[in-house]
Amino acid sequence: MAELAWVAAALPFFSFLIQVFITGPTRRRGDWVGIIATAASFILSIGVLLETTAGVRTGSSFLWATMGDRTFRFGYHVDALTGVMLVVVALVSLMVHLFSLGYMEGDVRYGRYYTILSLFTFSMLGLLLADNFLQLFVFWELVGLCSFLLIGHWYEEKANSNAAMKAFLTTRVGDIGMAIGIFLLYSATGTLQFEEVWHSVSAGLLTPATITAVSLLLFAGAVGKSAQFPLHVWLPDAMAGPTPVSALIHAATMVAAGVYLVARSFPLFSASPTAMYWVAAIGGFTAFFAATIALVQEDIKKVLAYSTISQLGYMFLGLGSGSLVAGTFHLMTQAFFKSLLFLASGSVIHALHTQNLHEMGGLYRRMRWTAWTWIIGSLAMAGVPPLSGFWSKDEVLLAAYHSGRPLLFWLGLITALLTAFYITRATWLAFFGRPRDEEKFRHAHEGDWRFKLPLGVLAIMAAFSGFVGSSWFGHPFTHWMETTLPSGFHLVELEPAGIVQLLALAAAVLGILLGWLVYGAGVVSRSALIRAAGPVYTLLKRKYYLDELYGWLFVRTTVALSWVVSVFDRYIVDGIVNLIAWFSTQLSFATGDFDRSVIDGAVNGVGAAFSAGSQVLRRAQTGYVGAYLLVLLGAMAAGLLVLAFIVD
Amino acid sequence: MERNILVLLPQLVLIATSFLVLAVDLRTGDRKNREAELIPWLVALLGTVAALVTLPLWVGQGEFWGRMWQSDRFSLFFQVLVFSVMILVLLESAEYVRSREIQSGVFYALILLAGVGMTMMASSRELLTIYVGLELMSVSFYALVGMMKNDDRSNEAAIKYYLLGAASSAVLLFGISLLFGLTGSTYLPEISSKLSGLQGTAALPVAWAAVLLLFVALGFKVAAVPFHMWTPDTYQGAPTPVTAYLAAGSKAAAFAALIRAFSLGLPTLADLWQPALTAVAVATMTYGNVVALSQTDVKRMMGYSSIAHAGYVLTGLAIFTPESLSATLYYLLAYAFTNLGVFAVIVLVAGRRGNEEISSFRGLGQISPAYAAALTLFFLSLVGIPPTAGFLGKFYLFFAMIEADYTWLAVVMVINSVISLPYYYNVVRQMWLEPPEEANVLPAGTAAGQTAATIAHRALLGIGPAVAVTALAVLLLGLYPQPFIEWVRQVTLL
């Protein structure tokens, strides 16, 4: 089965082609084509997972291009990490396909939506199967493109298409780093195949400085894709897309690609303590930073968006603290509980037609299924045992605890508290208390099976998937990851620490309790809290003013520069010509008769030539040819002058 | 030294066709019959296809006609490229020429003659032949650019291009004469061997000056900064198929001449021109990309884009290794097809909407998704995003840079491709993420709508295939590059 892993990626691609060329033009619905293809991919992925977790590692590739005496290959590689990721992506994608049946029903661009969904599933699976950096980069760009198209799905609203642009451009900033990192890696090792690169690393063919530089540059790409500080600004805006898309792309899969990149390149990263430190630091800081913003969001999807940024930060914290298991394990559980939360919020949005938490309330009475699945998801995220998030968060904190960076450990712990608090807040505002918008509340209703089935399946995964990494069952996940590492690399076995587990549990319980006290019991008034927080509240509300800062710093300055230069091209050159003419005229007045007649003669001659020319040109209303010519000849003269100096 | 008429067969076919086109136009020109107007076009198209078909008769490597004509894989490569470009340009022209009331006979004859000039530039190792080829190409273009006689912009573009082009020709001749004065030859291999004897003498600075003059003149044709200033005006004002021809054909031919002259005639001075070319390349790509950001006219934007791409291609010559020259040729191939695709869609959209503002692409994704998808693909290729021709072209250049220890240049180029992203994506966004303007939506179903659709359908006769062919080429060059890489590698084994 593992040899057929590439078929899992090929199926959605065929589904994409069918929808473009067959069902698309005939305006028939291609949704079930996508669903069947994704379901088949999922079944295949299960098979791959079962084999790879038993220790099978396989792959194959064909020659793609020969340049000089180097070859570049295209192929696939599967091991347990790939297996886990394939299952996660295929399952979430399948659930999102099903959920969208109801959620997107009657949409103006229904067909296009499913077509891009298939393309995305193909690209994401292709990314996971890549056996070299080049191929990974190719799919990396493709998923970005799909994300761009889906964020802007409802482009009638200007803000949505702006969000799509912003997402694409911001992630590209990180991609510059990634591309440079790949070049550097290539120039250092002469190959881009994963296996060969790891071999060069373990054989000590790379200098520590090179390893650090390459790792940090690759990490820049991950920071962009996984929305880490300071490139996180695009993800909250990306919520402009349809909610199932947010669940698939902007919670579970594409944004986790950055984490996957670091996990896949773990042999490289772990060889550089500096790189590992930065991965952990950026991750830990982002986790905390985004969690604080999530505290004050009114939009249910924005809460989840910042929460995603924060959870992705956790994964980097785990990886950077030296634990491959912690990072990838949390990646898996987060994919399930976060896509669950997004789909549940989608169910709410579908019923109420609002995303504002302050217009919800009391929905538990109307939407039992949605409410219960949401609660399972939120408890999993808050880290309540024995749900999945508890185990993986524990693993992350344990890694941070052992890494000897107490500050990052405490940041992680506080984040756990904040996480429990803000998700309790959202839960209470949405599902409990009095309905704050009676009109909307009255229309609220539970969806049909198309809503319930995906929620149910994901709730099961959110609840139980953590057991694969739990001590109760002997940490099977750790053993899986052990098999993915090339020979010469070993996983660091983390000593279980009771204190960590205790603190994590305390943070979760305390967070939930505080959330309930404020929003549930009303012991502390919300408005009093806001008043007490004062400027801090405003700062959080404005997301630390980073959007404004970037707007000024990058967007406006670039556009202004481009405009100025373009004006230069059109007009300033002309001004220079006039200036020179004026200058020489002045000069001719200042000099004697002889000079005057000579220079005037020359000037007049030039003038006559120009005016003769302008007779021709007048209808074309231009005077700039002379200017262009001047630049051409001027540049030539300058070159000659430089040459003259060189000769001297 | 052989006199072989076969070696000139493609060019002779083109020249004969151009006369035929003019003659046919005289016969059919008076009649205001729309079908008859297509006859000169058809003749030109068949003639170009015939020229392409004669290429397998290739006589093999060698020099002919008193060393004036060089037949080798390099010239063969550029003939294939130029003839393909011409066919695509002709496909894009039919409807444009007809609807703008351009004199079709003259227009097509000039396109053919310009093609003769381009292939001539690539098929000689003798500077004067290259010069004559360049003039034949340029003079044809001066007239082609100004073909829309009632359009002020077209006139303006033609006059600017003509005046500046004339000056650059003078500079080129001056450079050639300096080289002739130094070496007593205009034959590149001889120039090279004589120049190597000049090392360390007082005459060397004169050779440097000659290099500079040659670069100024050819740099003008490829639109390198600071000799680029004609580009935006000319691109904007020229008839759109001519703009496409300028960008894909003229630029490639000028690069052919540049590569021949510098790698064959002036390699002994490489220490001097390599850093200079590198600097110019960096300035060119950065300048083009930055200024393109603020453009609102799509043809003007493509003008700046073509400046930026001239910078990318120049890097290949600046690095001057066998791999980098192969990469240069690959890039030219990728760029030509991508650009022709872009302009094909521009012709189509402008034909429908009447202007070339970027905003006129609004909602194209809804009106004709296939063309919008194709244009998106072309733009991805121009930015260098996989899996397109442009990505592989850039990747090949990066590879050559890294192998030659020019990694910093690869970094500059990556940053540049990101700078270029917003302006291409602005158009992509207009197409996919903006609703169409009301006036542009054809009232489908109604009788009038049906007629409109039929007309649109007819209009697509030439453009549709052009878009399909270029899109396939862009994908093929990106997905299955191996045979093409083999090809360009053989070409540069000069």
Side-chain angles (χ1 to χ4, degrees):
Chain A
M1 199 70 113
E3 288 78 24
L4 292 176
W6 59 275
V7 179
L11 285 168
F13 183 66
F14 285 127
S15 151
F16 166 71
L17 290 183
I18 289 171
Q19 290 181 63
V20 168
F21 291 108
I22 299 174
T23 63
T26 55
R27 305 223 177 273
R28 254 180 293 138
R29 287 163 51 143
D31 45 5
W32 281 97
V33 179
I35 289 170
I36 292 165
T38 314
S41 288
F42 173 63
I43 293 165
L44 258 171
S45 305
I46 297 268
V48 173
L49 179 70
L50 291 178
E51 277 190 32
T52 50
T53 50
V56 173
R57 294 173 63 191
T58 183
S60 146
S61 62
F62 63 87
L63 181 74
W64 182 58
T66 316
M67 295 178 183
D69 46 3
R70 309 276 195 203
T71 56
F72 294 94
R73 309 188 68 81
F74 210 85
Y76 76 97
H77 166 88
V78 284
D79 55 21
L81 177 60
T82 324
V84 171
M85 292 294 295
L86 285 180
V87 170
V88 169
V89 170
L91 177 61
V92 175
S93 175
L94 180 59
M95 291 307 128
V96 166
H97 269 86
L98 289 173
F99 191 87
S100 304
L101 283 175
Y103 193 84
M104 300 300 286
E105 194 171 33
D107 190 82
V108 275
R109 282 177 288 278
Y110 186 85
R112 178 177 119 153
Y113 174 85
Y114 269 95
T115 312
I116 302 173
L117 222 49
S118 279
L119 182 64
F120 173 79
T121 308
F122 155 68
S123 314
M124 191 65 214
L125 294 174
L127 190 153
L128 301 173
L129 287 166
D131 68 344
N132 63 69
F133 280 103
L134 182 64
Q135 194 180 341
L136 186 129
F137 188 69
V138 169
F139 286 111
W140 185 273
E141 294 300 336
L142 270 178
V143 287
L145 195 68
C146 298
S147 159
F148 166 82
L149 288 171
L150 286 171
I151 294 171
H153 183 78
W154 291 313
Y155 53 68
E156 281 77 4
E157 202 142 327
K158 187 86 182 156
N160 297 356
S161 70
N162 283 343
M165 276 299 263
K166 185 172 172 182
F168 201 83
L169 294 181
T170 314
T171 49
R172 284 294 291 190
V173 174
D175 291 354
I176 303 180
M178 185 170 164
I180 296 171
I182 293 177
F183 295 155
L184 208 58
L185 187 67
Y186 177 79
S187 63
T189 63
T191 178
L192 291 175
Q193 295 292 121
F194 289 143
E195 294 291 325
E196 292 168 24
V197 171
W198 312 154
H199 182 75
S200 310
V201 174
S202 62
L205 299 176
L206 299 178
T207 64
T210 311
I211 294 179
T212 303
V214 170
S215 305
L216 286 178
L217 285 165
L218 289 178
F219 183 54
V223 165
K225 207 55 142 190
S226 295
Q228 297 295 288
F229 179 85
L231 297 180
H232 63 280
V233 289
W234 66 270
L235 188 60
D237 288 26
M239 295 301 124
T243 307
V245 164
S246 310
L248 176 63
I249 301 185
H250 305 117
T253 58
M254 185 191 84
V255 287
V259 181
Y260 174 76
L261 172 69
V262 176
R264 181 49 78 198
S265 315
F266 206 66
L268 187 74
F269 277 80
S270 57
S272 163
T274 318
M276 291 294 267
Y277 171 74
W278 278 103
V279 172
I282 295 271
F285 176 73
T286 308
F288 172 73
F289 170 84
T292 57
I293 302 179
L295 294 174
V296 300
Q297 294 301 310
E298 291 176 352
D299 183 326
I300 190 167
K301 284 184 74 182
K302 288 275 165 76
V303 174
L304 294 178
Y306 281 104
S307 155
T308 306
I309 298 174
S310 169
Q311 297 298 312
L312 290 164
Y314 258 126
M315 298 170 207
F316 284 115
L317 176 61
L319 290 172
S321 301
S323 173
L324 176 63
V325 174
T328 48
F329 186 28
H330 198 58
L331 194 176
M332 183 190 83
T333 59
Q334 203 262 165
F336 291 132
F337 65 68
K338 191 54 63 63
S339 56
L340 168 63
L341 287 172
F342 264 112
L343 289 188
S345 80
S347 174
V348 169
I349 293 165
H350 189 72
L352 264 70
H353 301 289
T354 179
Q355 302 186 184
N356 192 334
L357 282 167
H358 295 304
E359 293 173 12
M360 299 176 183
L363 288 175
Y364 177 77
R365 277 179 282 154
R366 291 272 173 160
M367 309 172 73
R368 288 282 160 96
W369 188 276
T370 304
W372 272 112
T373 49
W374 167 283
I375 289 167
I376 291 172
S378 58
L379 289 179
M381 180 156 89
V384 173
L387 303 175
S388 62
F390 166 75
W391 301 105
S392 57
K393 192 171 290 183
D394 191 46
E395 198 73 31
V396 169
L397 289 173
L398 190 65
Y401 177 76
H402 283 297
S403 69
R405 296 174 191 130
L407 180 65
L408 289 178
F409 170 71
W410 286 105
L411 261 185
L413 204 63
I414 296 170
T415 306
L417 192 149
L418 294 176
T419 308
F421 180 82
Y422 68 68
I423 200 63
T424 310
R425 165 182 177 266
T427 308
W428 218 273
L429 287 178
F431 293 101
F432 300 101
R434 270 185 316 101
R436 281 177 297 281
D437 190 323
E438 283 293 344
E439 177 66 26
K440 289 199 164 75
F441 180 76
R442 232 174 305 140
H443 292 290
H445 59 280
E446 187 70 79
D448 54 19
W449 70 270
R450 295 173 301 186
F451 292 84
K452 284 183 179 171
L453 175 72
L455 288 176
V457 170
L458 287 173
I460 292 169
M461 295 309 288
F464 302 118
S465 64
F467 290 137
V468 296
S470 94
S471 51
W472 296 356
F473 297 91
H475 297 289
F477 196 84
T478 310
H479 300 299
W480 299 351
M481 288 305 121
E482 182 84 56
T483 64
T484 69
L485 287 175
S487 53
F489 293 92
H490 292 287
L491 281 182
V492 191
E493 288 282 344
L494 293 175
E495 194 82 7
I499 178 83
V500 174
Q501 220 158 43
L502 204 67
L503 282 173
L505 195 58
V509 172
L510 192 64
I512 294 172
L513 193 68
L514 283 175
W516 179 75
L517 284 178
V518 177
Y519 296 96
V523 175
V524 188
S525 132
R526 206 181 131 255
S527 47
L529 207 61
I530 291 172
R531 243 179 288 120
V536 177
Y537 178 77
T538 321
L539 188 67
L540 293 180
K541 203 82 185 163
R542 302 304 298 268
K543 308 157 205 161
Y544 296 91
Y545 294 96
L546 279 179
D547 278 319
E548 287 83 351
L549 182 71
Y550 290 175
W552 273 102
L553 220 53
F554 304 116
V555 181
R556 293 200 186 189
T557 44
T558 317
V559 171
L561 176 72
S562 166
W563 187 78
V564 167
V565 180
S566 131
V567 166
F568 176 83
D569 252 13
R570 279 198 190 201
Y571 303 111
I572 306 294
V573 181
D574 202 44
I576 296 173
V577 175
N578 290 337
L579 190 73
I580 293 170
W582 176 83
F583 186 73
S584 50
T585 321
Q586 295 298 310
L587 198 71
S588 74
F589 277 123
T591 46
D593 275 345
F594 174 71
D595 284 11
R596 175 170 302 165
S597 59
V598 172
I599 293 173
D600 272 7
V603 172
N604 288 341
V606 172
F610 271 112
S611 74
S614 73
Q615 292 296 323
V616 183
L617 299 181
R618 192 151 59 188
R619 283 185 57 203
Q621 41 178 293
T622 180
Y624 308 133
V625 175
Y628 296 171
L629 201 57
L630 189 79
V631 171
L632 187 115
L633 296 175
M636 196 181 83
L640 285 170
L641 267 178
V642 171
L643 277 178
F645 276 112
I646 296 175
V647 174
D648 280 349
Chain B
M1 291 293 183
E2 197 187 342
R3 292 191 185 166
N4 189 339
I5 199 81
L6 255 188
V7 78
L8 294 174
L9 191 57
Q11 282 72 26
L12 291 176
V13 168
L14 288 182
I15 292 169
T17 313
S18 72
F19 290 163
L20 192 61
V21 166
L22 286 172
V24 166
D25 188 46
L26 278 184
R27 297 274 306 159
T28 60
D30 300 340
R31 294 180 210 154
K32 288 289 166 221
N33 180 344
R34 290 180 69 82
E35 268 63 42
E37 271 182 56
L38 278 179
I39 294 175
W41 172 73
L42 208 60
V43 172
L45 191 62
L46 290 175
T48 315
V49 172
L52 189 65
V53 169
T54 62
L55 286 179
L57 297 174
W58 192 51
V59 290
Q61 208 110 346
E63 288 178 325
F64 301 89
W65 300 94
R67 295 201 302 203
M68 283 197 295
W69 196 268
Q70 168 78 16
S71 171
D72 54 18
R73 290 182 187 282
F74 188 84
S75 67
L76 189 64
F77 173 85
F78 275 98
Q79 290 187 53
V80 173
L81 178 60
V82 167
F83 296 154
S84 316
V85 166
M86 287 168 73
I87 291 171
L88 289 164
V89 167
L90 285 171
L91 285 176
E92 289 166 23
S93 304
E95 183 58 30
Y96 196 90
V97 167
R98 198 156 71 166
S99 63
R100 309 279 156 129
E101 291 177 358
I102 295 170
Q103 273 183 291
S104 58
V106 184
F107 185 88
Y108 296 124
L110 285 172
I111 292 224
L112 297 171
L113 289 177
V116 175
M118 289 176 200
T119 50
M120 209 166 158
M121 289 166 77
S123 309
S124 182
R125 299 206 283 184
E126 206 273 331
L127 280 174
L128 280 179
T129 314
I130 292 177
Y131 173 75
V132 171
L134 183 115
E135 283 301 289
L136 181 53
M137 173 184 90
S138 305
V139 173
S140 309
F141 266 118
Y142 302 147
L144 280 172
V145 169
M147 264 292 164
M148 295 191 288
K149 277 183 264 176
N150 299 326
D151 184 336
D152 283 353
R153 278 199 175 283
S154 176
N155 289 333
E156 179 186 350
I159 288 171
K160 279 183 179 169
Y161 191 39
Y162 165 63
L163 287 179
L164 294 166
S168 85
S169 292
V171 172
L172 181 61
L173 272 181
F174 192 15
I176 293 175
S177 63
L178 283 184
L179 280 178
F180 183 73
L182 277 175
T183 63
S185 173
T186 54
Y187 182 59
L188 286 167
E190 207 166 301
I191 290 174
S192 169
S193 63
K194 286 272 171 58
L195 281 181
S196 58
L198 286 179
Q199 294 290 11
T201 67
L204 200 59
V206 181
W208 293 352
V211 171
L212 179 71
L213 297 183
L214 244 56
F215 182 70
V216 168
L218 292 171
F220 171 83
K221 288 288 174 211
V222 304
V225 169
F227 321 113
H228 66 281
M229 298 203 144
W230 59 277
T231 319
D233 289 338
T234 306
Y235 273 44
Q236 189 180 1
T240 310
V242 174
T243 310
Y245 201 21
L246 267 175
S250 159
K251 195 183 285 263
F255 266 112
L258 204 57
I259 293 169
R260 279 266 208 226
F262 277 59
S263 68
L264 225 60
L266 309 164
T268 45
L269 300 172
D271 286 346
L272 177 80
W273 56 257
Q274 270 188 292
L277 250 59
T278 314
V280 169
V282 169
T284 303
M285 63 176 89
T286 313
Y287 192 91
N289 280 329
V290 169
V291 184
L293 287 173
S294 62
Q295 303 306 317
T296 55
D297 181 283
V298 77
K299 275 163 77 182
R300 204 173 171 84
M301 183 195 99
M302 288 306 293
Y304 282 108
S305 150
S306 101
I307 293 172
H309 280 84
Y312 299 151
V313 179
L314 264 182
T315 58
L317 181 59
I319 295 163
F320 197 44
T321 61
E323 283 308 322
S324 82
L325 291 181
S326 308
T328 308
L329 296 189
Y330 199 97
Y331 203 95
L332 282 175
L333 204 60
Y335 179 69
F337 282 109
T338 309
N339 233 356
L340 286 168
V342 171
F343 281 108
V345 182
I346 293 178
V347 170
L348 182 76
V349 172
R352 266 184 178 176
R353 322 267 178 91
N355 74 39
E356 279 122 11
E357 286 292 303
I358 290 173
S359 57
S360 64
F361 285 83
R362 201 171 286 165
L364 188 67
Q366 208 161 313
I367 299 166
S368 44
Y371 290 107
L375 190 57
T376 308
L377 181 77
F378 299 137
F379 279 154
L380 289 181
S381 177
L382 287 177
V383 183
I385 289 178
T388 56
F391 168 70
L392 206 101
K394 281 208 176 65
F395 184 74
Y396 202 175
L397 276 174
F398 291 153
F399 166 81
M401 288 169 187
I402 291 169
E403 293 280 297
D405 278 334
Y406 272 92
T407 308
W408 69 269
L409 195 54
V411 170
V412 171
M413 218 164 126
V414 171
I415 293 172
N416 254 290
S417 90
V418 175
I419 299 176
S420 75
L421 203 80
Y423 63 84
Y424 295 121
Y425 261 79
N426 185 27
V427 184
V428 173
R429 179 170 99 166
Q430 301 279 349
M431 291 192 300
W432 293 106
L433 304 185
E434 298 277 347
E437 285 157 17
E438 284 302 314
N440 290 325
V441 184
L442 295 173
T446 66
Q450 293 237 315
T451 336
T454 340
I455 292 170
H457 186 72
R458 265 194 209 149
L460 304 186
L461 204 71
I463 300 167
V467 172
V469 168
T470 46
L472 279 177
V474 165
L475 278 177
L476 188 66
L477 284 167
L479 288 172
Y480 187 53
Q482 189 58 30
F484 302 98
I485 291 178
E486 293 284 337
W487 186 27
V488 293
R489 284 182 71 193
Q490 281 178 355
V491 168
T492 42
L493 295 172
L494 286 172

